[in-house]
Amino acid sequence: MKIAVTAREKDLNSAIDPRFGRCFYFILVDLKSKETEIIDNLGEDVSGGAGIQAAQKLVKKNIEAVITGSVGPNAMEILQAAGIKVYQAVESNVGENLTKFQAGELNLITAPNANKKAGLKSWWK
Amino acid sequence: MIITVASGKGGTGKTIIATSLALCLEKGIFIDADVEEPNAYIFLRPEIKEKKPVSLNVPLFNFEKCTYCGKCADFCQFKALAVIPGQVIFFAGLCHGCGGCRLVCDVGAIEEEKRLIGEVQTGQINQLLDLDVLPPNKAFARPKDSFTGQRLIFRQGKLNPGEALAVPVVRAVKEDLTPKNGYPTVPADRQVVIIDAPPGTSCPVVEAISGSDYCLLVTEPTPFGLSDLKLAREIVKELKIPAGVVVNRVMAEDDLAEIKTYCQEENIPILAVFPFDRQIAYAYSKGIPLIYAYPEGKEKMQVILKQIKKGINR
């Protein structure tokens, strides 16, 4: 199973990026082979449609689940249509969230939990 | 001659100046290009005769042909499309109607359909002002016969509330106006077109100003007015359109010092100065054009028009 985590930096010790569409990086993890891949999301550089673009990237990578903080309505529509499950991050660190995910301790998000453009707020910076 | 009235800052008096300028024309066309909040009609009281819808060409998918290759979504600069296996998701509110998706589709699976985003309304101003709306106050310069006999063509664009894209409506309201095409629906004697631009400095403003022969920048003697005047000036410079300044709501000559300095540096003329005047404010609050409330108004408008003609020919 291949899953994605939104991250502030490029490794498993990195902090979670709580924004889906505007996250800095996606860390992709193949849970079987333990292989990881980093995608530069550059979500802060997009004026509009950041969530759509980010979701499209995950679809192309055949991701089955994503761990993140907040997902807006447009991104959620695509993720759900593509059958990508969204899990709520609870820990601040990417690796710890992965451990909890594998232990089945993360909650599924089934509805958008952020408004459009929420990831643009300056307090993320 | 196309004159666009712009400002950068909102609330400086674009509309009150633009409408009174138009009312001083022998024959002309007035266009309200502030499509998000067109309100010049309040001053001009036109009789709307024609309404034309403005729509965007948005993609319509033929799923019998679509291979879900994703080229359209990759191409879309506005992220209006997402392609997932067996499904295309279209976010209509993000689509700019460029048609690029249709062009890159290898299998011809994308057609176009129209999505309504606004309207262009056209009408006439036959009788300028119902005299009864003027308060019984001698200070109001009641319109003379020479005013009421003229006919002004009025056009306004209206963007539907909640729509993000004002530019197509601004473009539509200015349709056929480009000088090289002439203005076929209007007699040749209507040589002056006044366009009331939106505030700000973004795309709708650029679209409103583009193609004009002259841009009148309305400002006020506040740090805010000057700051935004500078921004608006940058656009006009970029578009290589001659510009002049009107300063509105001036209380004392001293107030003008900074604007004067700036205009000298930029080599743009100040064409007129309007006072901070209770009578004008009162007229505004009742939707009465400035020239009726301010006796020197008509004369100043004529001066502005003359100066603009000079400015264009220079």
Side-chain angles (χ1 to χ4, degrees):
Chain A
M1 183 184 192
K2 254 173 103 178
I3 78 164
V5 190
T6 54
R8 298 288 286 190
E9 283 159 64
K10 297 183 178 184
D11 60 77
L12 293 177
N13 294 319
S14 144
I16 284 272
D17 196 325
R19 307 160 296 178
F20 175 76
R22 296 193 184 273
C23 71
F24 287 168
Y25 304 104
F26 284 111
I27 300 184
L28 311 186
V29 184
D30 190 322
L31 293 181
K32 231 187 229 165
S33 67
K34 303 289 176 202
E35 272 173 38
T36 61
E37 182 187 347
I38 312 296
I39 305 181
D40 284 1
N41 187 46
L42 305 174
E44 288 199 337
D45 300 344
V46 189
S47 62
I52 294 168
Q53 179 177 263
Q56 178 79 72
K57 285 177 191 168
L58 298 190
V59 171
K60 282 189 182 168
K61 291 283 180 183
N62 297 317
I63 296 299
E64 288 163 78
V66 59
I67 302 172
T68 188
S70 306
V71 182
N74 289 347
M76 192 55 118
E77 187 178 340
I78 299 169
L79 294 172
Q80 284 185 334
I84 298 175
K85 295 203 162 78
V86 185
Y87 289 89
Q88 179 77 60
V90 292
E91 303 290 340
S92 60
N93 167 296
V94 172
E96 287 164 21
N97 275 296
L98 280 168
T99 313
K100 289 228 163 165
F101 172 77
Q102 283 174 292
E105 288 172 23
L106 294 187
N107 288 329
L108 198 63
I109 307 173
T110 53
N113 59 355
N115 291 326
K116 284 183 181 173
K117 306 277 180 194
L120 272 178
K121 299 225 169 82
S122 56
W123 41 262
W124 292 118
K125 287 169 189 154
Chain B
M1 177 167 74
I2 302 172
I3 304 166
T4 301
V5 184
S7 70
K9 185 181 178 299
T12 56
K14 269 185 308 300
T15 303
I16 203 169
I17 301 291
T19 49
S20 277
L21 260 184
L23 291 175
C24 290
L25 299 174
E26 285 301 317
K27 275 185 171 177
I29 304 168
F30 180 91
I31 293 181
D32 194 345
D34 188 0
V35 303
E36 286 185 62
E37 47 220 343
N39 53 20
Y41 75 92
I42 296 170
F43 285 123
L44 295 175
R45 301 168 170 79
E47 190 187 331
I48 300 293
K49 294 242 166 103
E50 190 194 324
K51 295 180 177 181
K52 238 170 110 181
V54 180
S55 36
L56 279 183
N57 289 332
V58 300
L60 178 68
F61 289 84
N62 179 342
F63 292 109
E64 280 171 17
K65 289 185 184 169
C66 181
T67 60
Y68 305 98
C69 69
K71 273 191 184 168
C72 53
D74 286 343
F75 178 82
C76 182
Q77 301 300 300
F78 305 102
K79 325 287 179 245
L81 289 169
V83 177
I84 62 178
Q87 207 174 332
V88 178
I89 302 173
F90 174 54
F91 296 93
L94 296 176
C95 176
H96 281 52
C98 75
C101 51
R102 194 163 52 93
L103 295 178
V104 299
C105 182
D106 290 331
V107 295
I110 303 178
E111 286 157 36
E112 278 179 349
E113 67 175 343
K114 290 196 182 302
R115 190 172 78 81
L116 194 68
I117 59 164
E119 192 171 78
V120 169
Q121 303 180 338
T122 306
Q124 270 183 359
I125 302 154
N126 296 325
Q127 193 183 352
L128 286 180
L129 187 61
D130 180 356
L131 291 177
D132 292 341
V133 306
L134 285 172
N137 181 337
K138 280 185 184 164
F140 282 89
R142 290 175 175 262
K144 299 207 176 91
D145 288 343
S146 61
F147 274 76
T148 48
Q150 68 169 320
R151 289 152 69 99
L152 194 61
I153 289 176
F154 175 93
R155 272 181 127 180
Q156 67 177 1
K158 281 183 128 173
L159 181 70
N160 290 345
E163 287 295 342
L165 288 182
V167 170
V169 182
V170 177
R171 199 175 290 144
V173 80
K174 290 177 67 183
E175 210 177 277
D176 304 332
L177 215 56
T178 46
K180 62 174 180 241
N181 296 338
Y183 195 59
T185 56
V186 173
D189 58 348
R190 293 191 190 271
Q191 281 164 351
V192 183
V193 181
I194 307 279
I195 299 177
D196 190 9
T201 54
S202 62
C203 308
V205 181
V206 176
E207 183 65 34
I209 300 176
S210 299
S212 304
D213 299 301
Y214 198 91
C215 186
L216 197 60
L217 299 168
V218 182
T219 189
E220 59 177 30
T222 65
F224 309 97
L226 179 59
S227 173
D228 297 350
L229 169 67
K230 290 176 182 173
L231 298 174
R233 167 70 181 141
E234 289 306 308
I235 294 185
V236 177
K237 226 185 205 173
E238 187 82 17
L239 294 171
K240 298 190 171 63
I241 291 170
V245 171
V246 167
V247 193
N248 192 17
R249 288 202 289 268
V250 177
M251 288 182 88
E253 181 71 19
D254 291 355
D255 293 352
L256 285 171
E258 285 186 57
I259 293 176
K260 271 187 177 165
T261 311
Y262 172 72
C263 289
Q264 266 162 13
E265 281 167 11
E266 284 290 310
N267 196 20
I268 43 175
I270 296 178
L271 304 184
V273 171
F274 290 88
F276 193 32
D277 177 83
R278 190 179 173 85
Q279 189 88 352
I280 297 175
Y282 177 80
Y284 176 83
S285 75
K286 300 288 176 197
I288 298 168
L290 175 137
I291 47 165
Y292 302 145
Y294 176 57
E296 293 136 76
K298 196 182 172 191
E299 202 180 312
K300 286 194 181 180
M301 295 301 164
Q302 301 291 10
V303 170
I304 292 173
L305 286 169
K306 253 184 221 155
Q307 296 276 91
I308 288 177
K309 271 178 200 158
K310 266 195 215 160
I312 293 172
N313 296 331
R314 199 166 46 182

